[in-house]
Amino acid sequence: MNAVADLAVDTLRNPKEVAQRIIGWHLDRQTLYFALFAVAAVNTILASAPAVLAPGSIDPAARAAIPLLALLERPFALFAMIAGGLLVMVHGLVWAGRALGGHGELTDMLALLTWLQALRAAAQALVLVLSLIVPGIAGLVALVVAIVAFWLLLHFVSAALRFDSLFRAFGLLIIVLAGLFVGMMMLVTLTGVTAGGLANV
């Protein structure tokens, strides 16, 4: 646990160096896929816990505006969305990154994004605890976590694809995230997520 905590701190201090360290572990693809699904499961539990423990807690107006909120009450569907989205993102970043002149292995991107998701799970657990104790601060912490996570993602993508600048990583992320968003909206439509909830999932 001390080693994990030290690695987390080092990630915030010097994400590029930590990215190279993780890549140097040369973990096999099967292990990385298992780890990815594991952190996706943890993130699912943390994200859906408030809605599952307190049914009806999602504001109807918010549900109408953001149909995806209905997934918070369906952990299995949410897990499929999170895990599937991560897999698509990993492969999309590698494929598009190579098209833009990047060089890197799928396992490198898989390892770095899995570690990032593990950090997000820890941060999400903190936000969940704060939401029960001091709800006002929890929202601010969640915003800071989102900003820091994106900053780390830039460094990780740049390291995995051997980009020479963060601007190339930023452009790649915009392209891939836009495509992922469109794909998720299509999936939401096909699986029957409506403003009133999940019709078919």
Side-chain angles (χ1 to χ4, degrees):
M1 291 300 297
N2 289 335
V4 173
D6 290 341
L7 186 62
V9 173
D10 289 342
T11 301
L12 297 176
R13 290 176 176 173
N14 192 342
K16 183 177 181 180
E17 188 276 332
V18 170
Q20 296 299 335
R21 194 190 313 174
I22 293 175
I23 290 174
W25 292 347
H26 300 297
L27 298 174
D28 64 272
R29 189 173 300 188
Q30 182 177 356
T31 299
L32 290 171
Y33 277 128
F34 178 82
L36 182 69
F37 286 126
V39 295
V42 173
N43 275 293
T44 298
I45 293 172
L46 293 171
S48 62
V52 172
L53 295 177
S57 59
I58 300 178
D59 182 66
R63 183 197 295 269
I66 311 176
L68 279 174
L69 289 178
L71 287 172
L72 296 178
E73 298 174 341
R74 300 293 189 276
F76 289 109
L78 180 60
F79 170 75
M81 185 72 73
I82 291 176
L86 286 173
L87 287 174
V88 171
M89 186 173 180
V90 168
H91 287 79
L93 285 171
V94 173
W95 177 80
R98 288 174 177 172
L100 294 176
H103 303 279
E105 300 297 328
L106 176 65
T107 50
D108 297 343
M109 187 70 72
L110 192 57
L112 293 178
L113 263 62
T114 298
W115 172 239
L116 181 59
Q117 289 304 308
L119 293 178
R120 285 180 62 89
Q124 194 169 341
L126 174 62
V127 172
L128 180 60
V129 172
L130 289 176
S131 67
L132 300 175
I133 304 174
V134 279
I137 296 180
L140 179 60
V141 173
L143 177 61
V144 172
V145 167
I147 294 173
V148 172
F150 187 76
W151 178 71
L152 293 176
L153 181 59
L154 282 176
H155 284 276
F156 282 5
V157 169
S158 180
L161 295 170
R162 282 67 168 175
F163 281 161
D164 53 7
S165 73
L166 292 181
F167 290 105
R168 293 180 67 187
F170 179 78
L172 174 63
L173 278 173
I174 295 300
I175 295 172
V176 173
L177 290 177
L180 185 60
F181 178 78
V182 172
M184 288 181 65
M185 290 301 98
M186 294 177 61
L187 182 60
V188 164
T189 301
L190 292 174
T191 53
V193 179
T194 66
L198 292 175
N200 301 319
V201 178

